[in-house]
């Protein structure tokens, strides 16, 4: 059966998962000589709509405590260990994110508040697709903004690991014309196709296809396996006293650091974290949100510490499909909202600042009378990172229909 490269790539690319031995036919592949791009971008997606108002707390806003009488985070100095970690006298981090406080003070961490997608949907699935495609409100987009970014900046001698999703499935963000790989674990792996039209597996496909373009894709896949085996990223242990949490996000960030240290040409990586749709179980300084933030804060801090000087070439950006309601509900929880906050971490970051125009939480300042109002489009944040950090070119191709001129950039990266 002949399968075009377009169909293969559109179906989701390639994934690698656990396997103790590598078939002989795969071992015959010859790995390419890596010439990696030194700049790295890590995108961390918080699925479920994280509560930005309790992640980066506007403790200087009187209305915050009025509309969240039971789940608000106490002001610095007024709640002991449950108090917010002061950032700038107005905003503070949730106490579970205390490990990130020193990074903010050292200028390695920036916050963008009241940020997100301008689309008003409160559907998790639609909002996630809109943010991953980079085309809010447009359901017909089949590829992702990150894939379009790397496709628009071809790299000679790029390795198969230029774009890696940490997980069993390729997310929409990395689907498209540029090759991308899903990698759940760096220690053990095998290859399978995510396309239902290639049920015979890669070995049968490689042997049978007469499509020269797809034949090349198969060869690259085998090269990726051989390259990963030879590089053995798992041999790299945490450095500089870094201690990753045993949580999924902590161990995933550890593996991203291993791929960076292995120097096999990874330029962009996508990390998924779930569980952020807490509703009644959110809590305040303690609860489900605090547990998630504790793992996230420890994981990001360990990642930064582990990479040391390598962080000068790394940017990490976090995003979530939308925020939560500004008012807590009758069950002392929150519902689906609108604007949120984003973290940008790394050596190239002009940190130590909360970016974005704060809209306020007064009755006449809220979106639809219930949510934090959006003042920074997430595409401006990503556009600056892609342009300034990765050197990407045409933002109109990456974010079609959006005026992403440099004049709109938040100016959160060093130039």
């Amino acid at each position: 059966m002949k399968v075009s490269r377009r169909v293969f790539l559109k179906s989701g690319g390639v994934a690698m998962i656990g396997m103790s031995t590598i078939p002989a036919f795969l071992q015959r592949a010859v790995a390419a000589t890596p010439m990696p791009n030194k700049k790295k971008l890590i995108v961390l997606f918080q699925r479920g709509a994280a509560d930005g108002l309790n992640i980066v707390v506007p403790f200087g806003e009187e209305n915050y405590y009025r509309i969240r009488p039971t789940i608000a985070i106490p002001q610095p100095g007024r709640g002991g260990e449950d108090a917010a970690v002061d950032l700038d006298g107005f905003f503070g981090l949730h106490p579970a994110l205390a490990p990130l406080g020193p990074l903010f003070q050292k200028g390695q961490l920036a916050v963008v508040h009241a940020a997100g997608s301008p689309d008003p949907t409160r559907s998790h699935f639609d909002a996630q697709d809109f943010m991953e495609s980079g085309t809010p409100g447009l359901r017909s987009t089949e590829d992702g903004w990150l894939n379009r970014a790397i496709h628009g900046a071809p790299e000679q001698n790029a390795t198969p690991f230029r774009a890696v999703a940490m997980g069993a499935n390729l997310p929409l963000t990395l689907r498209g014309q540029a090759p991308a790989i899903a990698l759940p674990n760096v220690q053990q792996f095998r290859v399978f196709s995510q396309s239902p039209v290639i049920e015979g597996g890669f070995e049968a496909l490689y042997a049978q296809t007469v499509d020269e373009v797809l034949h090349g894709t198969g060869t690259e896949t085998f090269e990726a396996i051989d390259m990963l085996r030879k590089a053995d990223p798992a041999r790299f242990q945490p450095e500089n006293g870094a201690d990753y949490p045993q949580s999924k996000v902590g161990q995933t960030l550890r593996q991203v650091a291993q791929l960076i240290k292995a120097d096999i040409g990874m330029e962009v990586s996508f990390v998924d974290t779930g569980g952020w749709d807490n509703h009644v179980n959110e809590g305040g300084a303690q609860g489900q949100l605090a547990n998630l933030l504790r793992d996230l804060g420890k994981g990001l801090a360990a990642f930064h510490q582990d990479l040391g000087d390598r962080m000068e070439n790394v940017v990490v950006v976090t995003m979530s499909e939308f925020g939560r309601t500004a008012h807590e509900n009758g069950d002392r929880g929150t519902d689906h909202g609108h604007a949120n906050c984003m973290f940008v971490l790394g050596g190239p970051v002009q940190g130590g600042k909360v970016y974005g125009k704060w809209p306020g939480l007064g009755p006449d300042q809220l979106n639809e009378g219930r949510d934090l109002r959006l003042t920074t489009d997430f595409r401006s944040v990503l556009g600056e990172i892609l342009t300034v950090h990765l050197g990407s070119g045409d933002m109109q191709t990456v974010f079609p229909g959006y005026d992403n001129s440099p004049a709109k950039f938040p100016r959160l990266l060093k130039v």
Side-chain angles (χ1 to χ4, degrees):
M1 173 178 60
K2 181 176 179 179
V3 185
S4 72
R5 180 174 185 269
R6 178 177 177 81
V7 169
F8 170 73
L9 290 173
K10 187 177 178 181
S11 71
V14 176
M16 299 181 176
I17 61 174
M19 181 176 170
S20 59
T21 60
I22 300 176
F25 85 98
L26 293 183
Q27 295 190 31
R28 292 194 294 269
V30 179
T33 300
M35 293 184 64
N37 186 322
K38 291 183 178 180
K39 305 295 184 181
K40 319 289 182 189
L41 170 61
I42 316 301
V43 180
L44 190 150
F45 203 105
Q46 298 165 278
R47 294 196 189 277
D51 184 8
L53 285 174
N54 269 17
I55 293 175
V56 179
V57 183
F59 65 81
E61 168 91 37
E62 182 179 352
N63 287 312
Y64 168 73
Y65 293 97
R66 178 182 61 82
I67 62 182
R68 293 191 166 197
T70 65
I71 67 169
I73 307 302
Q75 292 180 330
R78 295 191 178 183
E81 293 182 354
D82 287 343
V85 178
D86 190 6
L87 295 179
D88 61 3
F90 185 89
F91 292 105
L93 293 175
H94 188 288
L97 291 174
L100 298 183
L103 299 182
F104 184 89
Q105 300 304 331
K106 292 176 182 177
Q108 295 276 297
L109 173 67
V111 175
V112 187
H113 221 320
S117 169
D119 189 86
T121 183
R122 300 182 192 274
S123 162
H124 290 295
F125 302 109
D126 285 346
Q128 288 174 20
D129 282 354
F130 292 157
M131 290 198 83
E132 290 196 69
S133 68
T135 56
L138 189 61
R139 291 187 174 88
S140 60
T141 308
E142 297 182 350
D143 56 1
W145 63 267
L146 191 52
N147 190 285
R148 293 194 296 272
I150 59 176
H151 179 70
E155 183 180 322
Q156 283 192 331
N157 301 310
T159 77
F161 292 94
R162 187 183 184 199
V164 178
M166 303 304 297
N169 300 300
L170 204 66
L172 175 57
T173 314
L174 278 175
R175 294 181 199 164
Q177 297 183 61
I181 286 176
L183 178 63
N185 194 299
V186 301
Q187 299 182 44
Q188 297 177 319
F189 44 88
R190 68 178 171 87
V191 174
F192 67 90
S193 167
Q194 298 184 55
S195 170
V197 302
I198 313 177
E199 296 177 354
F202 254 90
E203 183 169 8
L205 179 65
Y206 183 71
Q208 296 173 17
T209 183
V210 294
D211 187 322
E212 289 301 319
V213 178
L214 181 58
H215 188 87
T217 301
T219 301
E220 291 171 5
T221 302
F222 305 147
E223 289 175 348
I225 296 175
D226 199 47
M227 184 184 299
L228 196 64
R229 176 181 62 83
K230 290 176 179 177
D232 189 18
R235 65 189 166 92
F236 294 100
Q237 297 302 307
E239 301 173 19
N240 307 312
D243 184 16
Y244 289 93
Q246 292 302 310
S247 62
K248 181 179 177 181
V249 65
Q251 293 305 298
T252 301
L253 288 169
R254 175 178 175 171
Q255 292 189 53
V256 174
Q258 289 174 322
L259 290 173
I260 292 173
K261 294 176 186 178
D263 202 27
I264 55 177
M266 188 184 75
E267 182 178 352
V268 300
S269 181
F270 186 90
V271 175
D272 252 321
T273 70
W276 298 91
D277 191 21
N278 303 134
H279 288 280
V280 65
N281 297 310
E282 177 179 330
Q286 304 297 329
Q288 286 188 2
L289 178 64
N291 294 336
L292 290 165
L293 293 177
R294 193 169 293 110
D295 280 339
L296 180 65
K298 289 181 179 178
L300 289 173
F303 180 80
H304 185 278
Q305 187 172 353
D306 184 9
L307 289 184
D309 291 343
R310 298 182 183 92
M311 283 301 298
E312 290 303 311
N313 291 314
V314 177
V315 169
V316 181
V317 61
T318 70
M319 53 199 296
S320 192
E321 64 262 34
F322 45 71
R324 315 296 297 187
T325 48
H327 289 264
E328 67 176 69
N329 59 31
D331 294 321
R332 299 183 178 181
T334 58
D335 300 312
H336 300 175
H338 192 45
N340 211 323
C341 67
M342 301 173 71
F343 288 140
V344 185
L345 169 70
V349 178
Q350 293 193 106
K353 180 179 177 181
V354 179
Y355 290 80
K357 181 181 178 182
W358 180 244
L361 297 176
D364 58 344
Q365 297 171 319
L366 295 175
N367 174 66
E368 298 181 351
R370 53 174 278 170
D371 308 317
L372 179 65
R373 185 164 54 87
L374 181 80
T375 59
T376 299
D377 193 302
F378 77 104
R379 291 170 290 185
S380 294
V381 177
L382 299 178
E384 179 178 351
I385 294 171
L386 292 174
T387 302
V388 177
H389 181 58
L390 291 188
S392 300
D394 183 10
M395 287 298 102
Q396 271 300 310
T397 300
V398 179
F399 299 109
Y402 179 65
D403 178 15
N404 210 344
S405 64
K408 289 191 171 186
F409 293 164
R411 299 290 191 271
L412 48 82
L413 295 184
K414 302 170 186 174
V415 180

